[in-house]
Amino acid sequence: MGFLDSIPTHMDYTGQKLAEQIFQAIIMLFGVVGFVWGYVCEQFVQTVYILGAGFVLSCILTLPPWPMYRRNPVAWQKPQQQATIAPPAETTTQSARKSGKRKDKSR
Amino acid sequence: MNTLLSRANTIFAFTLSILAALTFLCFLTTVSLDTKKEVKITTIKHSVRHTYTQYGENADLGAFYFDLQANLDPLFNWNTKQLFIYLTAEYETSKNKLNQVVIWDKIIKRTSNANLNFNRIQPKYPFFDDGHGLKNNQNITLTLSWNIVPNAGLLPRVYGNGKDTFGFPSEYTTHRI
C-alpha cells in the first residue's frame, strides 16, 4: 500500500466545497438535458446515457485533486520551539503547558 | 469529500438520486395519457365439439377463426417497454354467471409494428367450457385487452373499445378441430 498512499488525493476545504458544487451542477445539467432529449426522441435510455456521461465527466473533473482545489491551503502554525514556552515559576508544570497552548491558539 | 473514495461515493450517490428523480418524472409525463384504442374483431367458422377434460369430465371445446384490426402504435411512448395483448371470451352459462377464457395473446415489443392487422387467426389456447355451456350458446363476447409494461410506474390493464359477439352452432361437429 505504500505506493497507493504516496498518490496525493487531498483537497483543501475551499477546494472540497468547490468540487461538490461543480459535480452537482454538472450532473443536474446533464440530467435536465437528458430528460428533454429522451422526451423528444421517446427513448428513456437516452436520458440514462446522458446522465451517465455527466457522471463520468464530473468524476474526471472532481475526483483527482486538480490544482484548482488546492489553492487555499490551511495555514498551519510554525512548530513552537521548546525553549519559548518558559513555565512561570509559581505554577505546576501541567497547568503551565495548558496555558502555553491557549496562548498559541489565540495568536 | 477529503479522500478519493469519499468523493467517488458522493458523486455516485448523487447521480443515482438524480436518476430516481428523472425516472419518476418520466412516469409523471405519461401517467395521464389515453390508453383506450379502437379494436375491430370479427369471427368466422364457429364450431363446437364434445370432448373430455384431462380429468375425464364432459367438456365443450369451441373453435373459430378471427380477424383482428387495431392500431396500438400510439400506446408506445418513452415509458413503454412492451405491450401484452390478449383476447378474452366472455359468456354466461347455467352454471356460472360469468365465464372468462383467454384464448389468444401476444407480446408486442417496442421495435415491432403495433399496427395490427391479422386475418384468419386460430386461437392459441383451447376454448374449453367445463360442461356443455358452449353448444348453442348465442352470446359469446370477444374483447381485446392489453397490459402496458412501463419502464417505471403503473401496469394498467386496459379494455379495448370494440368487441365481437357470436354464437356456437346447436349441433356438435364430428370433425377434428
Side-chain angles (χ1 to χ4, degrees):
Chain A
M1 296 301 285
F3 171 70
L4 286 180
D5 290 342
S6 70
I7 301 172
T9 63
H10 180 262
M11 289 181 185
D12 61 54
Y13 291 123
T14 321
Q16 288 176 29
K17 191 179 172 190
L18 179 67
E20 183 152 348
Q21 285 167 341
I22 285 178
F23 85 69
Q24 283 180 350
I26 288 175
I27 291 174
M28 278 198 275
L29 180 72
F30 274 71
V32 169
V33 169
F35 189 80
V36 173
W37 178 246
Y39 187 82
V40 166
C41 64
E42 302 215 326
Q43 299 268 353
F44 189 68
V45 71
Q46 297 291 337
T47 306
V48 178
Y49 287 155
I50 291 174
L51 187 66
F55 173 75
V56 171
L57 180 65
S58 45
C59 280
I60 294 170
L61 284 185
T62 62
L63 276 190
W66 299 116
M68 61 194 278
Y69 304 119
R70 308 177 85 170
R71 275 186 202 146
N72 300 285
V74 177
W76 295 99
Q77 292 283 336
K78 288 238 170 68
Q80 296 267 332
Q81 295 298 318
Q82 194 63 40
T84 61
I85 322 168
E90 63 269 84
T91 53
T92 62
T93 325
Q94 213 177 5
S95 60
R97 222 175 264 153
K98 269 185 193 161
S99 66
K101 268 186 192 167
R102 215 170 288 135
K103 246 188 243 166
D104 289 348
K105 272 178 193 162
S106 64
R107 239 190 280 158
Chain B
M1 289 292 292
N2 62 328
T3 66
L4 195 79
L5 275 182
S6 73
R7 281 198 290 276
N9 180 40
T10 317
I11 296 174
F12 188 60
F14 187 74
T15 308
L16 286 191
S17 305
I18 295 288
L19 183 60
L22 291 182
T23 312
F24 185 70
L25 282 176
C26 172
F27 157 65
L28 285 186
T29 59
T30 57
V31 68
S32 59
L33 296 180
D34 180 31
T35 51
K36 280 216 172 257
K37 292 291 166 239
E38 294 300 320
V39 177
K40 191 163 166 284
I41 310 168
T42 47
T43 55
I44 48 164
K45 293 187 82 168
H46 315 104
S47 62
V48 60
R49 193 176 141 222
H50 180 236
T51 182
Y52 298 93
T53 66
Q54 52 177 324
Y55 308 109
E57 296 156 331
N58 280 313
D60 278 6
L61 176 64
F64 54 90
Y65 292 90
F66 67 89
D67 296 351
L68 178 70
Q69 275 95 36
N71 186 5
L72 302 183
D73 267 330
L75 293 180
F76 281 93
N77 53 54
W78 73 325
N79 195 17
T80 312
K81 262 188 194 158
Q82 61 182 26
L83 294 180
F84 177 73
I85 64 172
Y86 54 101
L87 201 60
T88 313
E90 289 184 7
Y91 59 101
E92 188 186 333
T93 58
S94 52
K95 267 198 211 165
N96 301 307
K97 183 80 184 152
L98 176 65
N99 300 270
Q100 287 180 305
V101 185
V102 173
I103 54 171
W104 180 84
D105 61 24
K106 187 173 170 59
I107 293 169
I108 305 175
K109 298 237 166 93
R110 265 193 86 90
T111 46
S112 57
N113 180 15
N115 193 354
L116 308 177
N117 187 6
F118 296 122
N119 290 306
R120 260 186 92 86
I121 303 284
Q122 249 187 324
K124 221 163 138 180
Y125 308 115
F127 184 8
F128 276 117
D129 180 64
D130 58 344
H132 299 295
L134 292 186
K135 189 175 88 163
N136 202 21
N137 190 331
Q138 295 305 312
N139 197 11
I140 313 267
T141 305
L142 281 183
T143 50
L144 188 75
S145 319
W146 48 83
N147 284 135
I148 303 172
V149 183
N151 288 321
L154 308 170
L155 180 72
R157 183 177 60 186
V158 186
Y159 295 92
N161 286 334
K163 58 187 179 183
D164 179 60
T165 303
F166 65 93
F168 279 116
S170 54
E171 295 294 326
Y172 285 127
T173 180
T174 51
H175 296 107
R176 203 181 146 71
I177 56 176

